[in-house]
Amino acid sequence: MLLPHGAETFEVLLRQTGERFVCRLGETVLQGMTRLGRKGIPVGCVGGGCGVCRIRIASGVYRRQSPMSREFISSEDECQGIVLACCVSPCSDLAVEVLGKMGRALQAGSAAAKEPSGLFDYLSEKRHGCNAD
Amino acid sequence: MGVMRISHVSLRVMDMEAAVRHYENVIGMKVTHRDGAGKVYLKCWDEWDRYSVILTLSDRAGLNHMAYKVETDRDLDLLGARIREAGMAVEVVPAGHLPMCGRALSFRLPTGHQMYLLAQKETIGKDVGDMNPDPWPDDKRGAAAHWLDHCLIYGELNPEKGINRVVETYRFMTEVLDFYLSERVMVGPDSSIMAGAFLFRSCKPHDIAVVGAPTNGFHHLSFFLDDWKDILIAGDVMSKNRVKVELLPSRHGITRGETIYCFDPSGNRNETFAGLGYQAYPDMPVITWTEEHLNRGLFYTSREMIESFRTAYTI
């Protein structure tokens, strides 16, 4: 597949939702996924440090572009295709699934992950979307 | 007497070259030392001590330690005794353990973060000098941050299990290290659970903050800028350098600071922060934020939560 300017592209299947997105050569999986423009895309630090965008690459060939924190991706994980979406780019079409609570949020079509995260949202449900005046 | 201010943070980075480029070209620091182990030391133009950031190559991002500076060497004896009396382990490390610093106290906060207190660090002076100085140097770069201002750590908060590292850290910082509380976040039934504490020893709204999260972690280090316009320029600099900007220029309700957040290339969150908000004095009544006003407290301009602000943090 070619874009008008001739860049090589790959198609990535997001298994949770059946959606497909395009990554240009050299783009990270997360950059492509972000263009879906929907809630629940696991965007964190985009630097491989926070682990928010943990995914499993179920099929396809990919390349690691930048280092991933060992705090979140062990060498065993890497052997199983578990990587951070902000650090890898496709070399072929891919099928991926987002792991952890972000994956479940994605499936539910909501960014409101039900598991604890920072800033105490687990203390009460009422806070979601609440912008007190 | 006692703790004066933040002295430095030691960060883990996964790509040293990219990290140095970021702290030089985006934040506007200068490299002042490189040691035999490959660590890089930097300072801002308006700082006088040898360094305020140490970068260490690692296989993960996050915080190694933070250091605060006390006024006199004797403070180390006094505070060391008080930390021990509080039942916490504290070690006196000799001069040179922290490069170009005198002896220091080393201990862990209830959040598990390693903290040093030091009284002496090599002084090399501000870039404008101290004899009839000009107000700013001619070779300012990037956002040209004045100084490292504060950091914010995450402390484990799990009321069901009776764990609240926020309140433990607040108590330690105030009762043992004589910090003052400027603002607090209270959540849960009857707003009875402390989920955020903003603490100061200087005269600004915070020198350190601790906020509740599922696990202990490092949220950000913050650099000081003069005013709102400098925040917008910092935004230009971040975009020019293709840095991931997390929060567009905004105001915090908590501290009233004007702010923009970005990430360094390893995913350590940086803030550039302007306006002191207000002068904080020990007798200022403590400001309280309740859970339903949290979005307003954090992101006053939009009053909307930024998901990554909660979920993305390093160790």
Side-chain angles (χ1 to χ4, degrees):
Chain A
M1 196 195 318
L2 291 178
L3 287 180
H5 61 278
E8 192 178 354
T9 65
F10 304 103
E11 194 174 74
V12 182
L13 167 68
L14 187 54
R15 277 193 164 179
Q16 266 109 338
T17 65
E19 288 166 291
R20 290 167 197 274
F21 56 86
V22 167
C23 279
R24 297 187 192 99
L25 183 69
E27 266 190 333
T28 65
V29 170
L30 188 62
Q31 281 174 314
M33 202 188 306
T34 303
R35 276 199 298 272
L36 286 173
R38 74 204 287 304
K39 286 198 164 187
I41 303 292
V43 179
C45 73
V46 197
C50 77
V52 163
C53 64
R54 219 162 167 264
I55 60 170
R56 190 174 75 85
I57 299 191
S59 70
V61 183
Y62 62 93
R63 189 165 56 91
R64 202 190 73 174
Q65 284 202 327
S66 54
M68 302 182 285
S69 172
R70 273 281 176 255
E71 190 69 19
F72 304 106
I73 302 292
S74 65
S75 48
E76 296 76 40
D77 286 340
E78 278 193 81
C79 294
Q80 294 170 36
I82 295 173
V83 294
L84 298 180
C86 69
C87 297
V88 297
S89 58
C91 301
S92 75
D93 291 350
L94 303 179
V96 307
E97 48 192 71
V98 175
L99 300 176
K101 66 184 175 202
M102 293 308 283
R104 289 190 284 283
L106 192 65
Q107 205 153 20
S110 159
K114 296 297 179 198
E115 284 182 17
S117 69
L119 295 167
F120 22 90
D121 66 339
Y122 48 96
L123 293 174
S124 81
E125 295 284 337
K126 69 181 179 192
R127 207 190 45 69
H128 284 302
C130 173
N131 301 313
D133 288 309
Chain B
M1 291 286 283
V3 177
M4 293 192 295
R5 59 179 161 82
I6 196 165
S7 183
H8 68 256
V9 295
S10 173
L11 290 178
R12 303 171 214 235
V13 298
M14 299 184 288
D15 178 337
M16 183 58 84
E17 202 180 315
V20 171
R21 213 162 42 230
H22 173 85
Y23 286 97
E24 282 188 329
N25 296 346
V26 179
I27 303 300
M29 306 182 84
K30 282 184 181 167
V31 172
T32 54
H33 182 64
R34 290 175 192 264
D35 70 16
K39 295 184 187 190
V40 178
Y41 301 70
L42 305 100
K43 87 175 207 30
C44 299
W45 69 265
D46 214 5
E47 294 174 321
W48 48 91
D49 281 351
R50 181 69 173 248
Y51 58 87
S52 61
V53 167
I54 305 174
L55 302 175
T56 305
L57 189 63
S58 171
D59 62 3
R60 61 204 71 202
L63 183 75
N64 274 327
H65 69 256
M66 51 197 156
Y68 281 71
K69 196 173 189 187
V70 301
E71 193 171 351
T72 67
D73 190 71
R74 185 168 149 64
D75 290 331
L76 297 178
D77 295 324
L78 296 173
L79 293 172
R82 287 173 65 176
I83 296 168
R84 262 186 296 276
E85 278 164 27
M88 292 171 61
V90 57
E91 186 190 350
V92 182
V93 297
H97 175 88
L98 293 173
M100 294 159 282
C101 294
R103 69 183 183 127
L105 299 178
S106 167
F107 53 94
R108 285 189 184 275
L109 295 178
T111 55
H113 293 99
Q114 187 173 21
M115 182 178 268
Y116 286 96
L117 295 181
L118 58 92
Q120 190 268 323
K121 183 185 273 184
E122 186 191 336
T123 302
I124 59 174
K126 299 183 182 189
D127 285 14
V128 291
D130 53 13
M131 185 65 80
N132 309 311
D134 291 306
W136 44 268
D138 286 336
D139 59 348
K140 285 201 298 188
R141 247 192 304 191
H146 284 256
W147 54 74
L148 174 67
D149 189 84
H150 64 266
C151 49
L152 190 152
I153 54 176
Y154 266 176
E156 185 182 359
L157 177 57
N158 188 335
E160 281 167 22
K161 289 186 181 166
I163 297 169
N164 188 344
R165 304 295 178 215
V166 177
V167 79
E168 288 173 30
T169 302
Y170 152 71
R171 285 192 186 127
F172 173 74
M173 298 296 283
T174 54
E175 292 167 13
V176 180
L177 300 184
D178 291 335
F179 274 69
Y180 301 101
L181 183 67
S182 60
E183 307 202 23
R184 60 184 182 166
V185 179
M186 303 300 290
V187 301
D190 306 320
S191 296
S192 58
I193 299 167
M194 180 181 268
F198 293 73
L199 299 150
F200 67 97
R201 275 290 304 170
S202 63
C203 59
K204 55 200 182 61
H206 57 332
D207 295 308
I208 187 169
V210 54
V211 168
T215 56
N216 298 322
F218 184 62
H219 194 268
H220 70 260
L221 66 161
S222 181
F223 296 91
F224 185 77
L225 298 177
D226 275 333
D227 61 23
W228 187 234
K229 189 179 178 200
D230 291 332
I231 295 286
L232 301 180
I233 291 171
D236 293 345
V237 168
M238 290 168 192
S239 205
K240 268 188 186 184
N241 286 276
R242 307 296 185 262
V243 168
K244 168 68 180 168
V245 174
E246 183 185 38
L247 172 66
L248 297 176
S250 295
R251 183 198 281 282
H252 283 308
I254 301 171
T255 77
R256 292 190 207 146
E258 297 143 8
T259 180
I260 181 169
Y261 283 90
C262 71
F263 290 98
D264 80 9
S266 297
N268 295 302
R269 185 185 278 98
N270 293 168
E271 177 184 33
T272 54
F273 176 87
L276 282 173
Y278 50 79
Q279 292 277 329
Y281 291 102
D283 65 334
M284 186 188 83
V286 172
I287 295 165
T288 299
W289 294 85
T290 54
E291 197 169 354
E292 65 272 26
H293 287 267
L294 180 63
N295 289 0
R296 221 176 117 246
L298 291 169
F299 310 110
Y300 187 78
T301 314
S302 70
R303 305 187 310 285
E304 285 178 10
M305 178 57 70
I306 290 174
E307 200 57 26
S308 60
F309 202 78
R310 302 189 304 166
T311 55
Y313 54 101
T314 58
I315 54 169

